[in-house]
Amino acid sequence: FPTRRSSDLADVHVEQSYLQSPRRIDLGRWRWICFVTVAVILSGITLIPIVRLVGQAGSVTEFVTTVQSLRPELRDSCVLAGLTAAAVVMIAMGVTGLAVTGGPGAKWLRGALLLLWALPTPCLAIALIEILNRPGPPGMIFDSIALPVLGQTLRWAPLGVLIVVPGVVRVSRDLRDAARIDGCGLAWLHRYLYWPMSFRFLALAGLVTAILAFGELTASVLLSPPGVLPLSVRFFTLVHYGLQGEAASICLLVILV
């Protein structure tokens, strides 16, 4: 009888651990009480700040006027969010199959993603500044929109990979083995197997990354070069100058987007 190698058994164990159903807690008659309690708490956490922001933003006319004056900042934020989402999706497409199903360097890749996710954003931004603030090609990146895009890509890439993981583990081992028998390498497995079957998860990763990058503050403030002014940087400036009305309008705009 054919025997499996230890690496194959490890791959099966990894897949089974990803496919296990989450543990459920039977609340019984307390179900609706817990539901109402959580709904009230979440409503208070979200509605009270929004009502306060609406009051500070002023009338609808003032809000529209403020939004119209923020067109350049809104454009920069959309470009930054779109580029970051595209970069994160490309990284997720490239490394998720290797990180989940195993292969050369898979453990090191998982460790690197975990370390990157645990690294505070200010530390990541300062490290990029120290690396790229020098003459030559690094300086060209440092003085362009590529710097905040790179910072936010490194910030949200682990999250994008985590979102795409369920789509990759849905691919059965039989399909992978059949593709490998037909001569498909890792690149062809991604192109014809992982990517088509994980399209919804890739789209979700791009959407979530774009939303997070649109309102991200720390990396944008530290890494945005002159001439690039996202909404988050504009908000940071307005808060320090005490312009609460315009700052509240930016918060409402970010929430709406």
Side-chain angles (χ1 to χ4, degrees):
F1 295 95
T3 58
R4 289 189 173 183
R5 297 174 301 175
S6 59
S7 60
D8 295 337
L9 295 176
D11 293 344
V12 173
H13 176 72
V14 169
E15 292 179 1
Q16 291 178 349
S17 64
Y18 277 108
L19 292 174
Q20 287 178 351
S21 299
R23 181 177 298 177
R24 296 183 179 181
I25 300 176
D26 188 10
L27 298 176
R29 62 180 181 178
W30 295 96
R31 179 178 180 181
W32 287 105
I33 297 177
C34 295
F35 173 77
V36 173
T37 302
V38 172
V40 171
I41 294 175
L42 292 179
S43 299
I45 293 175
T46 56
L47 292 180
I48 292 177
I50 291 176
V51 171
R52 181 61 177 170
L53 289 173
V54 171
Q56 290 185 349
S59 63
V60 177
T61 304
E62 294 175 346
F63 175 74
V64 172
T65 303
T66 303
V67 171
Q68 290 178 349
S69 65
L70 295 172
R71 287 180 179 177
E73 291 83 356
L74 182 60
R75 181 197 63 231
D76 290 344
S77 295
C78 291
V79 172
L80 180 59
L83 293 176
T84 302
V88 169
V89 168
M90 292 177 63
I91 293 175
M93 287 192 301
V95 306
T96 303
L98 177 61
V100 172
T101 60
K107 293 182 179 180
W108 292 99
L109 179 59
R110 296 168 192 164
L113 291 173
L114 182 61
L115 179 62
L116 194 60
W117 180 249
L119 187 66
T121 306
C123 296
L124 176 63
I126 293 173
L128 289 176
I129 292 174
E130 291 294 329
I131 294 172
L132 298 177
N133 189 14
R134 59 189 71 248
M140 298 175 62
I141 298 175
F142 184 81
D143 292 331
S144 66
I145 195 175
L147 180 61
V149 170
L150 178 60
Q152 294 211 37
T153 299
L154 295 176
R155 177 69 179 89
W156 303 119
L159 178 61
V161 172
L162 186 63
I163 294 174
V164 179
V165 161
V168 174
V169 298
R170 286 173 180 265
V171 180
S172 67
R173 186 175 184 83
D174 293 336
L175 287 176
R176 294 206 311 268
D177 291 341
R180 287 170 178 171
I181 291 174
D182 289 338
C184 289
L186 184 61
W188 291 99
L189 284 175
H190 281 81
R191 172 64 180 84
Y192 291 104
L193 196 61
Y194 294 144
W195 297 352
M197 299 188 70
S198 306
F199 178 77
R200 292 182 300 172
F201 296 91
L202 291 170
L204 179 61
L207 177 61
V208 172
T209 303
I211 293 174
L212 293 174
F214 187 86
E216 204 279 335
L217 178 63
T218 306
S220 299
V221 171
L222 293 175
L223 299 178
S224 294
V228 178
L229 189 64
L231 284 174
S232 54
V233 178
R234 180 64 172 169
F235 167 80
F236 187 79
T237 305
L238 293 174
V239 168
H240 282 75
Y241 280 101
L243 300 176
Q244 301 297 330
E246 295 185 13
S249 298
I250 292 179
C251 291
L252 289 176
L253 180 60
V254 172
I255 292 173
L256 292 175
V257 172

